[in-house]
């Protein structure tokens, strides 16, 4: 074979080897930072728990905002019977949800989430909105604060018992419409307040004195939105419970129904809790 044929073949071989070496060197030099990104962690499911004299509709404006921001939202229909049965009903409901949960409670709903979340590893954050956050053995009736209308006003000014007789544990308590408008919905337009008063659901009398069990806030991070205009649970009582629980505190110039009067603020508090759980994961 002639030298003129051998030399081109050698040149082609050297070129092929050089190209392979360049490819290998380039692949080795690609930093890890440009590798395919990991899939973003799914957002937690937000479970909203209403309180006494309310229903799931009280969360409507908050639900719309959270869903717009990509969250799966469940509004739990609290039975409003006794704390033990209500918290067990919520615990059973939470057990059906896969993945991380941000659990939000308003007013009496705060006591319900405090008991229901204990021992559930999926609950990553608790959010209290003008809510009771009792310690073990405490009842919500003793946590309203000295200046609360529930303390300063006679029960006949506030409640309608059903049946209309001296209350027993299972007596259903409705709020007097005027009391609802003046004290529960004190930062809402009167027309809206009267609509809510007409659609209220009663709380069983015995729930006011039921003792709380081991609190979930002792082991789960919590956030607390304090309504500085609240006349049902005084702002000072809210702050005392929040500080005891080690909660991240947010203050809002709202009455006892901030999810209705300022749903944007409540949504921001819930999403801050969700972001806090993601930062720790």
């Amino acid at each position: 074979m002639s030298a003129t044929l051998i030399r081109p073949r050698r040149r082609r071989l050297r070129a092929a080897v050089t190209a392979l070496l360049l490819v290998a060197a380039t692949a080795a030099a690609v930093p890890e930072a440009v590798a395919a990104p990991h899939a973003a962690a799914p957002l937690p499911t937000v479970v909203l728990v209403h309180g006494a004299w309310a229903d799931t509709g009280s969360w409507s404006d908050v639900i719309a905002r959270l869903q717009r921001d990509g969250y799966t939202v469940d509004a739990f229909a609290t039975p409003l019977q006794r704390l033990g049965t209500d918290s067990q009903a919520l615990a059973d409901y939470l057990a059906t949800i896969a993945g991380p949960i941000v659990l939000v409670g308003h007013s009496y709903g705060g006591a319900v989430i405090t008991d229901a979340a204990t021992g559930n590893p999926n609950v990553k954050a608790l959010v209290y909105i003008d809510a009771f956050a009792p310690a073990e053995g405490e009842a919500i009736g003793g946590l309203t604060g000295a200046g609360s209308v529930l303390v300063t006003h006679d029960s006949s000014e506030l409640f309608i018992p059903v049946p209309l007789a001296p209350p027993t544990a299972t007596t259903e308590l409705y709020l007097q419409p005027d009391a609802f408008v003046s004290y529960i919905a004190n930062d809402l337009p009167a027309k809206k307040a009267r609509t809510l008063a007409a659609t209220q659901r009663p709380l069983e009398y015995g729930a006011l004195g039921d003792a709380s069990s081991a609190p979930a806030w002792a082991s789960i991070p919590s956030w607390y939105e304090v309504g500085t205009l609240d006349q049902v649970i005084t702002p000072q009582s809210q702050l005392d419970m929040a500080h005891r629980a080690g909660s991240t505190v947010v203050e809002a110039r709202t009455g006892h129904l901030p999810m209705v009067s300022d749903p944007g603020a409540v949504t921001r508090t819930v999403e801050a809790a969700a972001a806090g759980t993601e930062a720790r994961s």
Side-chain angles (χ1 to χ4, degrees):
M1 186 179 292
S2 69
T4 58
L5 292 176
I6 293 173
R7 279 195 290 270
R9 289 178 180 175
R10 287 177 177 172
R11 285 197 293 270
R12 287 195 294 271
L13 180 60
R14 283 197 297 270
V17 171
T18 301
L20 287 172
L21 291 173
L22 285 172
V23 169
T26 301
V30 174
E32 291 183 3
V34 298
H38 294 293
L43 292 173
T45 297
V46 177
V47 178
L48 304 170
V49 181
H50 67 80
W53 308 299
D55 60 20
T56 55
S58 61
W59 294 109
S60 294
D61 291 338
V62 174
I63 292 170
R65 285 165 169 79
L66 289 169
Q67 289 179 336
R68 176 199 64 198
D69 294 342
Y71 289 88
T72 297
V73 186
D74 295 337
F76 176 73
T78 314
L80 299 181
Q81 295 172 344
R82 302 293 295 272
L83 180 57
T85 56
D86 288 350
S87 59
Q88 185 59 57
L90 177 59
D92 292 342
Y93 183 78
L94 295 176
T96 69
I97 300 173
I101 298 168
V102 172
L103 187 56
V104 185
H106 169 248
S107 192
Y108 169 69
V112 177
I113 71 171
T114 295
D115 285 8
T118 301
N120 186 328
N122 282 350
V123 179
K124 304 301 182 183
L126 304 169
V127 183
Y128 294 92
I129 307 294
D130 291 57
F132 295 106
E136 187 169 5
E138 289 182 337
I140 64 171
L143 295 174
T144 59
S148 165
V149 296
L150 299 181
V151 174
T152 61
H153 288 61
D154 187 85
S155 61
S156 63
E157 298 177 66
L158 301 175
F159 301 118
I160 302 172
V162 178
L164 194 60
T168 66
T170 58
T171 296
E172 293 186 329
L173 294 180
Y174 288 84
L175 281 169
Q176 296 276 5
D178 287 345
F180 191 107
V181 171
S182 298
Y183 308 129
I184 300 288
N186 58 309
D187 65 338
L188 289 175
K191 183 178 180 180
K192 178 68 172 178
R194 292 199 175 277
T195 299
L196 294 174
T199 59
Q200 66 174 289
R201 290 178 54 223
L203 176 70
E204 285 192 1
Y205 177 74
L208 298 174
D210 285 343
S212 182
S213 61
W217 50 254
S219 57
I220 300 173
S222 61
W223 278 252
Y224 198 117
E225 182 173 307
V226 175
T228 60
L229 303 179
D230 197 328
Q231 298 184 55
V232 179
I233 309 174
T234 65
Q236 186 58 56
S237 183
Q238 292 182 51
L239 284 169
D240 290 345
M241 288 185 283
H243 291 153
R244 179 177 64 182
S247 304
T248 299
V249 175
V250 178
E251 293 191 1
R253 188 172 173 76
T254 54
H256 192 62
L257 298 175
M259 71 286 291
V260 181
S261 63
D262 194 352
V266 172
T267 302
R268 288 191 293 273
T269 300
V270 173
E271 292 188 351
T277 64
E278 292 169 10
R280 286 190 299 275
S281 62

